[in-house]
Structures are given as C-alpha cells and as structure tokens.
Amino acid sequence: KKGVYVYFREYEHEKIMVVSNHTSKTVKVDLSYYAEETNGYQYGLEVLSGVEYKLDVDKMDIEGNNILILELW
C-alpha cells in the first residue's frame, strides 16, 4: 500500500521484520504477501514495547505514523 513499507533483515539465526506506516491512518498489512519471509515463524515480538504479534493471521493492523520492529520467532 502507498505509504506503508515492509522489509526484513536477517543476521545469523535472527530475523527482523520492519513495518513502517507513513500515513495518518491505521492500515491493515496483508501478511500473505510476505509468506515466503515469515514461513516458519509464528510470532513477532516488537522490540521496543514487548508487544507480541501473531504472524499466522491474514492481516495485521499498524497505526498511522508508526513503525514496528518485530523480532520473528
């Protein structure tokens, strides 16, 4: 979606997913689009807040003007 960016970084055995919403509205990110990268992972732990996000759902909400940094496990 326009204004929403998702990318992954991997180092040794750790994988990070970054979801960045540069719009003012909450949007739903279609996780099926990133299935190849999230395959084998069930959760993402937001490294700053400690909030746990399920990855085995179709869509994930991200609030406007927000960035999530998720450690996948």
Side-chain angles (χ1 to χ4, degrees):
K1 286 189 173 189
K2 196 171 195 176
V4 179
Y5 305 94
V6 178
Y7 61 92
F8 296 83
R9 294 291 182 261
E10 195 167 357
Y11 178 73
E12 293 182 359
H13 300 293
E14 294 182 7
K15 185 179 267 192
I16 300 292
M17 176 181 184
V18 179
V19 184
S20 178
N21 180 1
H22 295 274
T23 71
S24 59
K25 297 182 181 181
T26 298
V27 297
K28 292 189 179 293
V29 176
D30 184 358
L31 293 179
S32 66
Y33 186 76
Y34 307 101
E36 186 175 325
E37 290 287 344
T38 60
N39 186 32
Y41 297 97
Q42 295 180 347
Y43 296 96
L45 181 66
E46 211 291 317
V47 298
L48 299 176
S49 67
V51 174
E52 195 174 278
Y53 290 84
K54 291 184 82 173
L55 298 176
D56 61 352
V57 295
D58 291 333
K59 297 185 187 239
M60 177 176 70
D61 288 339
I62 180 169
E63 295 178 6
N65 299 313
N66 197 15
I67 295 175
L68 297 176
I69 303 170
L70 304 174
E71 180 180 350
L72 305 185
W73 53 278

